[in-house]
Amino acid sequence: MSMLHSQTTRRFLKTSSLLIAGLVLAACGKQEAAAPAAPAASAAAAPPPAKVYVVGTDAAYAPFESQNEKGEIVGFDIEVVSAVAQKAGIEVKFVNTPWEGIFNNLAQGDRDLLVSAITITDERKQTMDFSAPYFDAQQLIAVKADSKIAKFDDLKKLKVGVQTGTTGDEVVTKLLGKTSTAVKRFESTPLALKELESGGVDAVVADNGVVIHYVANNTGAQFKTVSDTSFTPEQYGIAVKKGNAELLEKINKGLADVKADGTYDKIYAQYFGAAPAAAAAASK
């Protein structure tokens, strides 16, 4: 092999080696560039969602609570508590809850509060706490238009319909006796009033707001109402689980606010035709 040929070969090999090294480095560079970027620092954890307070209500007690044609729970109580919750800065969800189990649902924690035309009584105060009163009520007797019943005592020898576990049930049971079979108990006041219409009972005793609303909206039933001074005035309250002072404070603050700014009076007039003072005077 000649000297010239040997040098040429070495130069060629050297150049080739450099080219190959450059390609390798370039390939490595591309791989490095294609390598995934390090993950960005994780964002701060989102705050937990605000608590939604579950409100139990027996939606069969118009005008206080009932279901419309869409299945939505509506009524005086619903609007009042919605306004109270807004003022209190809390979120609420209404759940239809049968009356017979409504207090157990509260005690077991399945409901956070209750609004269902619930009369504040000393007996109930032993197992639950109540807000300040938000509605004044009393018992009222419903009878057929041609009935001779003129006072509560006239019911002593008659069949009387009531809603189970209500204050109407309590006063009628006291009048007729605990073991009396003349006390006919129903799951709801409208069912008791239907029984009155069909002649199954002679009278129904229930809260005045419900009775007046039913009679006004069921003129074909031909009912009339009878009041009696022996009925003790009652007040409705929003119930919370016994000892839940924090929630009770929020509810009372919100209730005071809606009464102070006129919201409560507007809701009341929408359902009962006048502000509370005027409505009370008209009923005397």
Side-chain angles (χ1 to χ4, degrees):
M1 180 183 294
S2 68
M3 179 77 64
L4 177 61
H5 181 73
S6 176
Q7 291 175 350
T8 302
T9 300
R10 286 197 295 271
R11 283 197 297 271
F12 175 78
L13 292 173
K14 183 177 180 181
T15 301
S16 298
S17 299
L18 291 172
L19 288 171
I20 291 170
L23 289 172
V24 171
L25 289 172
C28 291
K30 288 181 180 179
Q31 289 176 352
E32 291 172 1
S42 58
K51 177 177 174 58
V52 177
Y53 291 90
V54 180
V55 185
T57 186
D58 180 19
Y61 214 66
F64 295 96
E65 41 271 323
S66 61
Q67 288 182 292
N68 62 19
E69 61 279 0
K70 297 179 181 179
E72 300 165 331
I73 300 176
V74 297
F76 174 77
D77 281 356
I78 309 308
E79 292 203 34
V80 168
V81 171
S82 294
V84 167
Q86 185 175 12
K87 291 289 187 181
I90 62 175
E91 188 175 349
V92 293
K93 173 185 177 182
F94 297 94
V95 177
N96 193 5
T97 308
W99 178 262
E100 289 188 13
I102 201 167
F103 298 129
N104 283 336
N105 275 275
L106 180 67
Q108 294 169 4
D110 296 326
R111 303 290 183 268
D112 297 299
L113 57 150
L114 305 176
V115 63
S116 200
I118 302 171
T119 300
I120 302 170
T121 67
D122 290 337
E123 182 180 358
R124 289 172 180 167
K125 283 181 180 180
Q126 295 176 18
T127 56
M128 65 195 78
D129 289 330
F130 283 98
S131 69
Y134 71 90
F135 190 86
D136 294 326
Q138 65 180 34
Q139 295 302 301
L140 191 63
I141 305 166
V143 295
K144 289 190 174 182
D146 59 356
S147 173
K148 302 298 183 182
I149 294 170
K151 58 185 182 299
F152 187 47
D153 277 350
D154 292 343
L155 304 181
K156 283 184 177 179
K157 296 182 180 181
L158 302 177
K159 294 179 181 179
V160 184
V162 297
Q163 181 175 347
T164 303
T166 61
T167 47
D169 186 354
E170 292 175 9
V171 297
V172 171
T173 299
K174 186 176 181 179
L175 177 71
L176 301 183
K178 290 183 178 180
T179 60
S180 173
T181 57
V183 182
K184 304 298 181 181
R185 296 179 174 86
F186 299 86
E187 291 183 3
S188 71
T189 296
L191 286 176
L193 290 163
K194 282 290 185 183
E195 188 72 4
L196 174 62
E197 187 175 355
S198 67
V201 295
D202 301 297
V204 169
V205 177
D207 291 359
N208 59 338
V210 177
V211 171
I212 290 170
H213 180 270
Y214 189 94
V215 171
N217 287 278
N218 294 273
T219 54
Q222 297 185 333
F223 289 159
K224 68 178 180 180
T225 61
V226 177
S227 60
D228 193 296
T229 56
S230 68
F231 290 134
T232 303
E234 301 175 11
Q235 292 181 310
Y236 296 163
I238 302 165
V240 304
K241 188 174 183 179
K242 192 72 176 175
N244 193 344
E246 181 181 355
L247 178 57
L248 188 61
E249 183 179 355
K250 290 178 180 179
I251 294 299
N252 277 329
K253 176 65 167 58
L255 183 58
D257 287 346
V258 298
K259 285 185 174 181
D261 70 5
T263 300
Y264 177 86
D265 285 352
K266 290 179 181 178
I267 297 171
Y268 193 104
Q270 177 186 341
Y271 284 90
F272 302 105
S283 66
K284 291 181 179 179

